[in-house]
Amino acid sequence: MMLLMFVVGAGHAQAQDVPGIEICTVEKTMERRTSCLQSNVNFLQKTIGKLGIDNQQKLDAANRQIEALKGVMATLQKSVEELQAAQKKPAPAATAAPAKDGAAK
């Protein structure tokens, strides 16, 4: 029975050490309420800082991917232009061969 109470009590003490938003209105004294609010502010500032770093890393990765895709697109666009230019030019052997066939008949 004593062991069970100790385990339950230890779990309760550990839960207080976990950082997070606390409800400060339950505190009776101004010092404890102020300390609670400061703890909340510190937690939120750390959280915002971590999220800012994470989001900046994601933006940097996205920008690198965009730049890589722009390079691929430029290469593909150049290939398409070359193919279109080659398609517009008549092949010298193809135009000469039908004329000879027509003259031979």
Side-chain angles (χ1 to χ4, degrees):
M1 175 83 166
M2 292 296 276
L3 181 61
L4 180 61
M5 288 177 23
F6 177 76
V7 171
V8 171
H12 181 66
Q14 288 177 348
Q16 292 177 351
D17 295 334
V18 176
I21 300 296
E22 300 175 23
I23 301 172
C24 300
T25 57
V26 297
E27 298 295 339
K28 302 291 182 217
T29 64
M30 188 58 75
E31 292 83 20
R32 289 188 61 131
R33 191 174 285 191
T34 304
S35 174
C36 178
L37 289 170
Q38 187 60 47
S39 174
N40 287 347
V41 168
N42 291 342
F43 172 75
L44 291 172
Q45 286 178 337
K46 285 180 185 178
T47 303
I48 290 170
K50 288 177 186 176
L51 291 174
I53 291 170
D54 289 345
N55 286 331
Q56 188 60 48
Q57 289 174 345
K58 288 178 184 178
L59 282 172
D60 292 343
N63 285 331
R64 285 190 300 272
Q65 188 176 14
I66 288 170
E67 291 303 317
L69 290 172
K70 282 181 181 178
V72 169
M73 189 175 101
T75 303
L76 290 174
Q77 194 171 21
K78 183 179 176 184
S79 297
V80 167
E81 289 172 359
E82 289 173 355
L83 288 172
Q84 287 175 342
Q87 196 175 31
K88 288 180 182 177
K89 289 183 184 177
T95 55
K100 289 181 182 177
D101 288 341
K105 286 185 181 179

